[in-house]
Amino acid sequence: MKPKKQTQPHKSTSKALQKRKQSALQTQEIDTALLTKATPKPLERAIRGVLPNAKARTCLRVATFLQLTASGETCLDALESAGLSWGELQAYKGRHPAIADLYQHARELMRDQQIAQRERALLKRGVDGWEEPVYHKGELSGTIRRYSDKCLEIGLKANQPRKYRDKEDKAVNVGVSISFTSIGVPEAKQTQEPTPIDVEVQDMVEGEENGDNDHENK
């Protein structure tokens, strides 16, 4: 019997299979809980799963950076400690959405950690205080414990805002209404000039009166 010929997959079929694999790879997610693991190894393996062509050393650097960021380190300090450049980080964030999602989640954890660190420092200065050296004649003679009333006040207001909040000043609004009335000014009476007829009548009256007076005088 003749051996059967091995059929090779059609090129179009292999290309479609590759596209499906790439699509499945792009939708793959990474558990954000790996950011808080004790070592970056589990996160590094997850990153290698979504970036199969990436080097293991580079994936370990990315995982270390993300874990340091999630622990409260600033981005610049985390990049320096992980031995990673900002350009490399941006490149890996653009290669897979899961890396960008991890970065955003790590940033949120970083902000939470920084707020917690500031609250601890605030409470320590307001309640525990700190030792301040005291010098006498240029020589250290001892220490004195100092406390920050402002830090204690801020801490109390943050923990119990209803009890320690500042009293609100009640604003009193006084409404004043002003009405304007127009005062009429009487117009000046205009002197009416006598018409020519009135002048003639007046002259006739005056003439008659003068005539009577002359007749009486005679």
Side-chain angles (χ1 to χ4, degrees):
M1 296 180 62
K2 294 182 179 180
K4 294 182 179 180
K5 296 182 179 180
Q6 295 180 356
T7 59
Q8 295 181 353
H10 198 267
K11 291 183 178 180
S12 60
T13 305
S14 61
K15 288 182 179 180
L17 183 61
Q18 289 179 359
K19 287 183 179 180
R20 285 198 297 269
K21 288 182 178 180
Q22 290 178 358
S23 178
L25 188 63
Q26 287 295 320
T27 56
Q28 186 176 348
E29 297 181 355
I30 298 177
D31 187 7
T32 55
L34 297 176
L35 291 169
T36 57
K37 292 293 183 179
T39 61
K41 280 292 183 181
L43 183 58
E44 180 261 334
R45 286 193 294 268
I47 293 175
R48 289 181 63 184
V50 298
L51 299 176
N53 297 326
K55 296 180 179 180
R57 183 177 58 183
T58 304
C59 293
L60 180 60
R61 290 176 179 176
V62 175
T64 303
F65 162 77
L66 292 173
Q67 280 197 334
L68 290 175
T69 303
S71 65
E73 293 285 342
T74 62
C75 289
L76 293 178
D77 293 339
L79 285 172
E80 184 178 356
S81 300
L84 194 68
S85 66
W86 180 255
E88 291 174 337
L89 175 65
Q90 293 299 321
Y92 280 100
K93 282 171 56 182
R95 287 180 61 180
H96 200 285
I99 307 299
D101 293 340
L102 282 175
Y103 175 73
Q104 292 298 330
H105 193 71
R107 292 275 297 178
E108 293 175 1
L109 292 176
M110 177 192 69
R111 284 190 288 268
D112 295 340
Q113 290 293 330
Q114 289 178 349
I115 291 174
Q117 291 172 3
R118 288 171 174 80
E119 288 179 349
R120 286 196 297 269
L122 189 73
L123 183 63
K124 185 176 181 180
R125 290 181 67 85
V127 178
D128 299 335
W130 69 96
E131 293 292 335
E132 185 175 296
V134 177
Y135 294 90
H136 179 68
K137 295 182 179 180
E139 295 182 358
L140 180 63
S141 60
T143 59
I144 185 172
R145 182 165 291 275
R146 298 286 189 184
Y147 299 90
S148 175
D149 296 338
K150 189 64 177 178
C151 291
L152 182 61
E153 178 185 353
I154 294 174
L156 289 173
K157 287 181 179 179
N159 293 327
Q160 297 183 357
R162 293 184 178 180
K163 186 176 181 179
Y164 294 102
R165 65 182 177 182
D166 296 332
K167 294 182 180 180
E168 298 179 356
D169 296 332
K170 295 182 179 180
V172 179
N173 297 325
V174 180
V176 179
S177 61
I178 302 175
S179 60
F180 296 92
T181 58
S182 60
I183 302 174
V185 179
E187 297 180 357
K189 293 182 179 181
Q190 296 180 356
T191 57
Q192 185 175 2
E193 296 181 358
T195 60
I197 299 176
D198 296 336
V199 174
E200 292 179 359
V201 173
Q202 187 176 0
D203 292 342
M204 291 174 61
V205 173
E206 292 178 355
E208 291 178 357
E209 290 179 355
N210 293 333
D212 294 341
N213 293 334
D214 294 339
H215 182 73
E216 289 177 358
N217 292 333
K218 288 181 180 181

